[in-house]
């Protein structure tokens, strides 16, 4: 098939950082700033104040809350060397973030991920869940400090069209990173039962490699990007395997594909993706494949204007 040239992340005009002004947003801010410099694009920062918390306030007090939040956001950003726009919105958090992202033409949404206390696992709050489900652009959940550009991408793949789209999109956003396609071998009609002797395991690996090669042949990647792809085949639970990977290589970026389903963009691999999101130590990029989704289904549900 004809492959278009790979495009760098700089084709993203702006990045949206969803900040709740807590310490967990600090790492997300650092990563968003690093990406904005790397891609030479603008950074849009939005913080949403729950209307229930300010409904009883007079307009002057409400405006004071807005100015205070804006000052805090700019103070956290410091003397950044990228263009920054701040939005302070009132209302539903997810709807407000999606509205600002659409209004500003943002190509990526970044937010911080909390951890279960004492467990070190990502806590999927309602905001992250809903953004991954509804955002028509990639969503980056940040856990690690932004020490450097991502050295490698680990694309969790079931060799589906949505996983292929995630591979293509992530590779183009991060063309300098090593590109790994991670596939967990589990029991199934295509690969046979787990376990068995060396011959059976080798046969399962051979079949998986054949599926991977066919998958890669369909990828719209430049020859340079295609040449960077390496397959990782492991037996076991994908969540546990990627948790172990994150402990060994916490600076890599894990990439998940998503597909439209039931009028929303839901995670492609369901409970497997949920386990990966919950368990991995890595930052996670969720990329939705909205090809063929009617605009009404992939457009953010805006419920009111965002306020600067």
């Amino acid at each position: 098939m004809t492959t278009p040239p790979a495009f760098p992340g700089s084709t993203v005009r702006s990045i949206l950082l969803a900040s709740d002004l807590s310490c967990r947003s600090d790492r997300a801010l650092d990563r968003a700033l690093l990406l904005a410099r790397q891609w030479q694009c603008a950074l849009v920062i939005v913080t949403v104040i729950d209307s229930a918390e300010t409904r009883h306030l007079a307009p002057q007090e409400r405006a004071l809350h807005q100015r205070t939040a804006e000052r805090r956001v700019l103070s956290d950003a410091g003397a950044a060397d990228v263009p920054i726009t701040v939005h302070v919105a009132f209302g539903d958090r997810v709807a407000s973030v999606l509205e600002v992202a659409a209004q500003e033409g943002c190509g990526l949404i970044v937010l911080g991920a909390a951890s279960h206390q004492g467990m070190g696992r990502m806590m999927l709050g309602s905001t992250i869940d809903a953004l991954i489900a509804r955002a028509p652009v990639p969503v980056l959940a940040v856990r690690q400090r932004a020490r450097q550009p991502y050295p490698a991408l680990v694309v969790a793949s079931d060799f589906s069209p949505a996983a292929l789209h995630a591979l293509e999109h992530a590779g183009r956003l991060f063309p300098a990173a090593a590109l790994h396609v991670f596939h967990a071998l589990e029991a199934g009609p295509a690969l046979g039962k787990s376990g068995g002797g060396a011959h059976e395991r080798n046969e399962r690996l051979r079949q998986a490699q054949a599926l991977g090669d066919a998958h890669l042949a369909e990828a719209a990647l430049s020859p340079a990007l295609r040449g960077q792809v390496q397959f990782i085949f492991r037996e076991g639970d994908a969540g546990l395997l990627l948790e172990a990977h994150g402990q060994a290589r916490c600076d890599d970026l894990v990439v998940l594909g998503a597909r439209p389903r039931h009028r929303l963009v839901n995670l492609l691999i369901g409970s497997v993706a949920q386990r990966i999101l919950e368990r991995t130590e890595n930052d996670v990029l969720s990329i939705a494949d909205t090809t063929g989704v009617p605009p009404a289904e992939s457009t953010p549900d805006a419920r009111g204007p965002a306020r600067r």
Side-chain angles (χ1 to χ4, degrees):
M1 64 183 297
T2 302
T3 58
F7 59 91
S10 59
T11 56
V12 173
R13 292 187 303 160
S14 58
I15 297 168
L16 184 142
L17 170 68
S19 173
D20 60 3
L21 302 180
S22 70
C23 58
R24 76 172 177 178
S25 292
D26 292 346
R27 294 186 178 188
L29 171 61
D30 290 343
R31 177 58 67 180
L33 285 170
L34 189 154
L35 288 173
R37 296 187 191 103
Q38 184 180 348
W39 295 346
Q40 299 181 351
C41 68
L43 176 61
V44 177
I45 304 177
V46 58
T47 186
V48 183
I49 301 174
D50 192 335
S51 294
E53 300 174 5
T54 59
R55 188 178 297 118
H56 64 286
L57 298 179
Q60 297 87 343
E61 294 176 299
R62 186 182 173 100
L64 178 61
H65 273 261
Q66 184 173 349
R67 290 194 298 271
T68 299
E70 184 172 334
R71 282 197 300 270
R72 286 187 59 187
V73 169
L74 291 173
S75 175
D76 288 344
D81 52 355
V82 299
I84 294 179
T85 301
V86 177
H87 289 254
V88 178
F90 296 86
D92 179 82
R93 289 183 174 85
V94 173
S96 296
V97 168
L98 292 176
E99 181 185 15
V100 174
Q103 176 183 331
E104 295 284 354
C106 297
L108 175 70
I109 295 173
V110 181
L111 72 168
S115 297
H116 288 300
Q117 189 174 14
M119 294 179 65
R121 293 179 182 172
M122 184 180 293
M123 182 170 64
L124 295 181
S126 58
T127 300
I128 294 180
D129 272 339
L131 282 174
I132 290 174
R134 294 167 57 185
V137 299
V139 176
L140 175 61
V142 175
R143 292 197 65 186
Q144 295 295 327
R145 297 188 185 280
R147 303 177 182 89
Q148 60 179 329
Y150 293 117
L153 309 181
V154 181
V155 183
S157 179
D158 59 357
F159 302 142
S160 66
L164 181 66
H165 176 77
L167 170 64
E168 295 169 343
H169 200 106
R172 295 168 189 165
L173 286 175
F174 302 96
L179 193 53
H180 304 307
V181 174
F182 179 93
H183 181 76
L185 300 175
E186 299 183 13
L191 296 175
K193 297 181 179 179
S194 297
H199 175 75
E200 292 181 17
R201 288 194 295 272
N202 289 338
E203 177 61 19
R204 294 176 69 241
L205 285 171
R206 186 194 65 77
Q207 293 182 41
Q209 184 67 61
L211 289 173
D213 290 341
H215 183 74
L216 183 58
E218 292 296 317
L221 298 174
S222 69
L225 278 176
R226 190 184 302 275
Q228 292 177 211
V229 175
Q230 295 182 358
F231 288 100
I232 301 175
F233 298 109
R234 296 286 187 272
E235 288 187 311
D237 177 82
L240 290 174
L241 291 169
L242 284 172
E243 180 181 15
H245 178 92
Q247 291 171 352
R249 294 182 55 89
C250 63
D251 289 331
D252 289 350
L253 175 63
V254 170
V255 180
L256 299 177
R259 69 181 176 191
R261 186 177 63 187
H262 303 311
R263 299 181 61 81
L264 292 175
V265 178
N266 288 335
L267 288 177
L268 165 68
I269 40 183
S271 60
V272 175
Q274 191 82 1
R275 292 198 302 275
I276 292 172
L277 280 161
E278 290 174 349
R279 305 190 72 98
T280 184
E281 296 290 328
N282 303 90
D283 294 355
V284 178
L285 179 68
S286 297
I287 299 177
D289 181 6
T290 56
T291 304
V293 180
E297 296 186 24
S298 59
T299 300
D301 177 20
R303 302 182 185 177
R307 297 174 171 84
R308 288 185 184 274

